[in-house]
Amino acid sequence: GQKQSATEEPEEIDEGAVLVAKVEDFKTSKKLRTTVNDREIVVFHHLGKHHALDLRCYHSGGPLHLGEIEDIDGRACVICPWHKFKIVLESGEGLYQGVDPREPKRTKKWFSKGVKQRTHKVTVRNGGVYVTLSDTSTMWCDSDTYAKEKFIDQPCPD
Ligand code: FES
């Protein structure tokens, strides 16, 4: 068989890391919906890497665990099923397509709006997948709006 190119085997697990799944859970589904310390999270397994993000889209709270993964300009993105916003798995950046007015040909290109969706650290150890929530006090992310308690009480449509 083929050799797995990307391996994740970090040394240590953070103190606040929470076990959310086993590595083998991603054999049947490439995404997993979970809750870490009352925060709704989606974990994607894409091209040998795990990515954890806030579950509800920064735009209007759409269910990202129901989104498809697409390659946009060489970056793996989840496409929100509600209004098709594109979010980079690795960074949580929102991408949009536009025209650079300085460019004479006016071809459409992809631009970043900056980090919009909060990402969380994933650690894989001994067959377990752990998520460490990122520190919400150091930086605001638009997705924080939908990660609050009042939204948690509402079932995510799926
Ligand atoms: Fe995700 Fe609108 S809620 S694109």
Side-chain angles (χ1 to χ4, degrees), residues 68-138:
E68 296 298 323
I69 307 295
E70 261 179 45
D71 187 294
I72 307 245
D73 216 14
R75 309 176 83 184
C77 293
V78 54
I79 317 297
C80 179
W82 280 7
H83 315 99
K84 310 291 174 208
F85 275 33
K86 287 128 182 81
I87 298 165
V88 180
L89 290 186
E90 187 85 47
S91 62
E93 282 165 273
L95 296 188
Y96 70 99
Q97 209 174 24
V99 172
D100 185 343
R102 292 163 301 187
E103 219 203 77
K105 278 194 186 152
R106 304 268 162 155
T107 40
K108 279 192 170 180
K109 289 204 304 195
W110 289 99
F111 296 93
S112 171
K113 305 184 212 176
V115 175
K116 295 289 179 181
Q117 194 76 16
R118 188 175 291 284
T119 58
H120 306 277
K121 184 179 167 188
V122 182
T123 309
V124 177
R125 180 115 175 122
N126 295 333
V129 179
Y130 296 79
V131 169
T132 311
L133 290 186
S134 83
D135 183 359
T136 52
S137 67
T138 52

